[in-house]
Amino acid sequence: MLQLCLSPQLLFLFRKLLLGAATAAALEIPRATRAWGVRRGWAARLTMIQLWKVVRHVRQLELHRLILLLIAFSLISMCILAYYVTNSPKIKEPPPLPFSDCSNQHRILIPPQTSWRLTKSVDTSRTDPVVLVFVESIYSQLGQEIVAILESSRFKYRTEIAPGKGDMPTLTDKDRGRYALIIYENILKYVNLDAWNRELLDKYCVEYGVGIIGFFKANENSLLSAQLKGFPLFLHSNLGLRDYHINPSAPLLYVTRANEVEQGPLPGDDWTVFQSNHSTYEPVLLASTKSSESIPHLAAHKALHATVVQDLGVHDGIQRVLFGNNLNFWLHKLVFVDAIAYLTGKRLCLTLDRYVLVDIDDIFVGKEGTRMKVSDVEVKSPE
């Protein structure tokens, strides 16, 4: 009907218009689709970027938390380790070498006219040959020196942190004592024990014949003069001393030679001397003060004062040896070894035999001018 009404020219134009409109519509649809796809791609990219930022932030938080957890775990482990090391007992076994039997060795006896005092004989067979060492801490210098001497002497020992009001370690096993000797790095730890532990320890020492060795090392806070709590013994601290003498009447001397004198000043000005009028105390080492003003209320400057004393047990039945300094001075090491031997009834002691090891190969490889020659070893007959 439309063809009848329109001329051929108009019909051609109308068809051309319809074809252009259809073509334009067909082209517009892909463009819209592509635009929507581009917008969708950018949205996805933005979403991924935001998601990556969130994940990275979470990872950083987890890394920080992980580091904090590792630090906390390390601190807790260190605390547990310190507690275990501090409170756990340490038993050191000596190397597999036989103990020296000092009881069979010959010792020269002092004649009866000397001023030796009678000491109480004790039965040490009811205790194990182990030394109980009370230290202030596992890192203390004096405690390490005590342990070093015990190890070099091949003596069994056990270290404990000195209790103040804590529990005392078990001292007996059925009817047998676990320790033959007790050593206090700081004698004040023993003196200031609470009443229960002090009574328990003293009762053990009296019943099983166990002696005590104690050290007093003065410092800047120490009183210049004071009485040792519970004992008829006075301490005078922070002194400079000289001319060390060995008392030949001291019962504990064994390795240490009597009647010897170490001339000259002693190292340091932190020495402590002991003073007592009680018959239970016998001086072992004595020295004079460097200055007459050091102890003005005592005897004259040239008088000898005890730096190491031996308690014979007359006062309370317990034998003790007290040092007025640490073990830095070489003579104290000898007296310390002698005190261990005496208080344990020679069960823990060193033999009097000494061996000298001479390494002679160095004299053949030394520097020029120091090597040994034939003339150095040839024995020339006297003219």
Side-chain angles (χ1 to χ4, degrees), residues 40-74:
R40 184 175 180 182
W42 280 106
R45 291 181 181 178
L46 291 176
T47 303
M48 291 297 295
I49 292 173
Q50 293 177 354
L51 181 61
W52 170 249
K53 290 181 178 180
V54 172
V55 171
R56 185 174 62 179
H57 184 65
V58 171
R59 286 183 177 179
Q60 290 178 351
L61 289 179
E62 290 183 353
L63 181 61
H64 293 165
R65 291 179 180 177
L66 180 61
I67 293 175
L68 292 177
L69 288 175
L70 289 176
I71 294 175
F73 178 75
S74 300

Coordinates of all heavy atoms in Angstrom, one line a residue, residues 40-74:
R40 N 33.5 -1.6 34.0 CA 33.5 -2.7 34.9 C 35.0 -3.2 35.2 O 35.3 -3.5 36.3 CB 32.8 -3.9 34.3 CG 32.7 -5.1 35.1 CD 31.8 -6.2 34.5 NE 31.7 -7.3 35.3 CZ 31.0 -8.5 34.9 NH1 30.4 -8.5 33.7 NH2 31.0 -9.5 35.8
G41 N 35.9 -3.1 34.2 CA 37.3 -3.4 34.4 C 38.0 -2.5 35.4 O 38.7 -2.9 36.3
W42 N 37.7 -1.2 35.2 CA 38.3 -0.2 36.2 C 37.8 -0.5 37.6 O 38.5 -0.4 38.6 CB 38.0 1.2 35.8 CG 38.9 1.7 34.7 CD1 38.6 1.9 33.4 CD2 40.2 2.1 34.9 NE1 39.7 2.3 32.7 CE2 40.7 2.5 33.7 CE3 41.1 2.1 36.0 CZ2 42.0 2.9 33.4 CZ3 42.4 2.5 35.8 CH2 42.9 2.9 34.5
A43 N 36.5 -0.8 37.7 CA 36.0 -1.1 39.1 C 36.6 -2.3 39.7 O 36.9 -2.3 40.9 CB 34.4 -1.3 39.0
A44 N 36.9 -3.3 38.8 CA 37.5 -4.5 39.4 C 38.9 -4.2 39.8 O 39.4 -4.7 40.8 CB 37.5 -5.6 38.3
R45 N 39.6 -3.4 39.0 CA 41.0 -3.0 39.4 C 41.0 -2.3 40.7 O 41.9 -2.5 41.5 CB 41.6 -2.2 38.2 CG 41.9 -3.0 37.0 CD 42.6 -2.1 35.9 NE 42.8 -2.8 34.7 CZ 43.4 -2.3 33.6 NH1 43.7 -1.0 33.6 NH2 43.5 -3.0 32.5
L46 N 40.1 -1.3 40.8 CA 40.1 -0.6 42.1 C 39.8 -1.5 43.2 O 40.3 -1.3 44.3 CB 39.0 0.5 42.0 CG 39.3 1.7 41.0 CD1 38.2 2.7 40.9 CD2 40.6 2.4 41.5
T47 N 38.9 -2.4 43.0 CA 38.5 -3.4 44.1 C 39.8 -4.2 44.5 O 40.0 -4.4 45.7 CB 37.4 -4.3 43.7 OG1 36.3 -3.5 43.3 CG2 37.0 -5.2 44.8
M48 N 40.5 -4.6 43.5 CA 41.7 -5.4 43.8 C 42.8 -4.6 44.5 O 43.4 -5.1 45.4 CB 42.3 -6.0 42.4 CG 41.4 -7.0 41.8 SD 41.3 -8.5 42.8 CE 42.9 -9.1 42.8
I49 N 42.9 -3.4 44.1 CA 43.9 -2.5 44.8 C 43.5 -2.3 46.2 O 44.4 -2.4 47.2 CB 44.0 -1.2 44.0 CG1 44.7 -1.4 42.7 CG2 44.9 -0.2 44.9 CD1 44.7 -0.1 41.8
Q50 N 42.3 -2.0 46.5 CA 41.8 -1.8 47.9 C 42.0 -3.1 48.7 O 42.4 -3.1 49.8 CB 40.3 -1.4 47.9 CG 40.1 0.0 47.3 CD 38.7 0.4 47.3 OE1 37.8 -0.4 47.6 NE2 38.4 1.7 46.9
L51 N 41.6 -4.2 48.0 CA 41.8 -5.5 48.7 C 43.3 -5.8 49.0 O 43.6 -6.3 50.1 CB 41.2 -6.7 47.8 CG 41.3 -8.1 48.4 CD1 40.5 -8.1 49.7 CD2 40.7 -9.1 47.4
W52 N 44.2 -5.5 48.1 CA 45.6 -5.7 48.4 C 46.1 -4.8 49.5 O 46.9 -5.2 50.3 CB 46.4 -5.4 47.1 CG 47.9 -5.3 47.3 CD1 48.7 -4.2 47.2 CD2 48.7 -6.4 47.6 NE1 50.0 -4.6 47.5 CE2 50.0 -5.9 47.8 CE3 48.5 -7.8 47.8 CZ2 51.1 -6.7 48.1 CZ3 49.6 -8.6 48.2 CH2 50.9 -8.0 48.3
K53 N 45.6 -3.5 49.5 CA 46.0 -2.7 50.7 C 45.5 -3.3 52.0 O 46.3 -3.2 53.0 CB 45.4 -1.3 50.5 CG 46.0 -0.5 49.3 CD 45.4 0.9 49.2 CE 46.0 1.7 48.1 NZ 45.4 3.1 48.0
V54 N 44.3 -3.8 52.0 CA 43.8 -4.4 53.3 C 44.6 -5.6 53.6 O 45.0 -5.8 54.8 CB 42.3 -4.8 53.1 CG1 41.8 -5.6 54.3 CG2 41.5 -3.5 52.9
V55 N 45.0 -6.4 52.7 CA 45.8 -7.6 52.9 C 47.2 -7.3 53.4 O 47.7 -7.8 54.4 CB 45.8 -8.5 51.7 CG1 46.9 -9.7 51.9 CG2 44.5 -9.1 51.4
R56 N 47.8 -6.2 52.8 CA 49.1 -5.8 53.2 C 49.0 -5.2 54.6 O 49.9 -5.5 55.4 CB 49.6 -4.8 52.2 CG 51.1 -4.3 52.5 CD 51.6 -3.4 51.5 NE 50.8 -2.2 51.4 CZ 51.0 -1.2 50.5 NH1 52.0 -1.3 49.7 NH2 50.3 -0.1 50.6
H57 N 48.0 -4.5 54.9 CA 47.9 -4.0 56.3 C 47.7 -5.1 57.3 O 48.3 -5.1 58.4 CB 46.7 -3.0 56.4 CG 46.5 -2.4 57.7 ND1 47.4 -1.5 58.2 CD2 45.5 -2.5 58.6 CE1 47.0 -1.0 59.4 NE2 45.9 -1.6 59.7
V58 N 46.9 -6.1 57.0 CA 46.7 -7.2 57.9 C 48.0 -8.0 58.0 O 48.4 -8.4 59.1 CB 45.6 -8.2 57.3 CG1 45.6 -9.4 58.1 CG2 44.3 -7.4 57.4
R59 N 48.8 -8.1 56.9 CA 50.1 -8.8 57.0 C 51.0 -8.1 57.9 O 51.8 -8.7 58.7 CB 50.7 -9.0 55.6 CG 50.0 -10.1 54.8 CD 50.7 -10.2 53.5 NE 50.1 -11.3 52.7 CZ 50.6 -11.6 51.5 NH1 51.6 -10.9 50.9 NH2 50.0 -12.6 50.8
Q60 N 51.1 -6.7 57.8 CA 51.9 -5.9 58.7 C 51.5 -6.1 60.1 O 52.4 -6.2 61.0 CB 51.9 -4.5 58.3 CG 52.6 -4.2 56.9 CD 52.5 -2.7 56.5 OE1 51.8 -2.0 57.2 NE2 53.2 -2.4 55.4
L61 N 50.2 -6.1 60.4 CA 49.8 -6.3 61.8 C 50.2 -7.6 62.3 O 50.6 -7.8 63.4 CB 48.2 -6.1 61.8 CG 47.7 -4.6 61.7 CD1 46.2 -4.6 61.7 CD2 48.3 -3.7 62.7
E62 N 50.0 -8.7 61.5 CA 50.4 -10.0 61.9 C 51.9 -10.1 62.1 O 52.3 -10.8 63.0 CB 49.9 -11.0 60.8 CG 48.4 -11.2 60.8 CD 48.0 -12.3 59.8 OE1 48.9 -12.7 59.1 OE2 46.8 -12.6 59.7
L63 N 52.7 -9.4 61.3 CA 54.1 -9.5 61.4 C 54.5 -8.8 62.8 O 55.4 -9.3 63.5 CB 54.8 -8.8 60.3 CG 56.3 -8.7 60.3 CD1 56.9 -10.1 60.3 CD2 56.9 -7.9 59.1
H64 N 53.9 -7.7 63.1 CA 54.2 -7.0 64.3 C 53.8 -7.9 65.5 O 54.5 -8.0 66.5 CB 53.4 -5.7 64.4 CG 53.9 -4.7 63.4 ND1 53.2 -3.5 63.0 CD2 55.1 -4.6 62.7 CE1 53.9 -2.8 62.1 NE2 55.1 -3.5 61.9
R65 N 52.6 -8.5 65.4 CA 52.2 -9.4 66.5 C 53.1 -10.6 66.6 O 53.4 -11.0 67.7 CB 50.7 -9.9 66.2 CG 49.7 -8.8 66.3 CD 48.3 -9.3 66.0 NE 47.3 -8.3 66.1 CZ 46.0 -8.5 65.8 NH1 45.6 -9.7 65.4 NH2 45.1 -7.5 65.9
L66 N 53.6 -11.1 65.5 CA 54.5 -12.2 65.5 C 55.8 -11.8 66.2 O 56.3 -12.5 67.1 CB 54.8 -12.7 64.1 CG 55.7 -13.9 64.0 CD1 55.2 -15.1 64.8 CD2 56.0 -14.3 62.6
I67 N 56.3 -10.6 65.9 CA 57.5 -10.1 66.6 C 57.3 -10.0 68.1 O 58.1 -10.3 68.9 CB 58.0 -8.8 65.9 CG1 58.4 -9.1 64.5 CG2 59.1 -8.2 66.7 CD1 58.8 -7.9 63.7
L68 N 56.2 -9.4 68.4 CA 55.9 -9.2 69.9 C 55.7 -10.5 70.6 O 56.2 -10.7 71.7 CB 54.6 -8.4 70.0 CG 54.6 -6.9 69.6 CD1 53.3 -6.2 69.7 CD2 55.6 -6.1 70.4
L69 N 55.1 -11.5 69.9 CA 55.0 -12.8 70.5 C 56.3 -13.5 70.7 O 56.6 -14.1 71.7 CB 54.1 -13.7 69.6 CG 52.6 -13.4 69.7 CD1 51.8 -14.3 68.7 CD2 52.0 -13.6 71.1
L70 N 57.2 -13.3 69.7 CA 58.6 -13.9 69.8 C 59.3 -13.2 71.0 O 60.0 -13.9 71.7 CB 59.3 -13.7 68.5 CG 58.9 -14.6 67.3 CD1 59.6 -14.2 66.1 CD2 59.0 -16.1 67.7
I71 N 59.2 -11.9 71.1 CA 59.9 -11.2 72.2 C 59.3 -11.7 73.5 O 60.1 -11.9 74.5 CB 59.7 -9.7 72.0 CG1 60.5 -9.2 70.8 CG2 60.3 -8.9 73.3 CD1 60.3 -7.7 70.5
A72 N 58.0 -11.8 73.6 CA 57.4 -12.2 74.9 C 57.8 -13.6 75.2 O 58.1 -14.0 76.4 CB 55.9 -12.1 74.8
F73 N 57.9 -14.5 74.2 CA 58.3 -15.9 74.4 C 59.7 -16.0 74.9 O 60.1 -16.7 75.8 CB 58.1 -16.7 73.2 CG 58.6 -18.1 73.3 CD1 57.8 -19.1 73.9 CD2 59.8 -18.5 72.7 CE1 58.2 -20.4 74.0 CE2 60.2 -19.8 72.8 CZ 59.4 -20.8 73.5
S74 N 60.6 -15.1 74.3 CA 62.0 -15.1 74.7 C 62.2 -14.6 76.2 O 62.9 -15.2 76.9 CB 62.8 -14.2 73.8 OG 62.7 -14.6 72.4

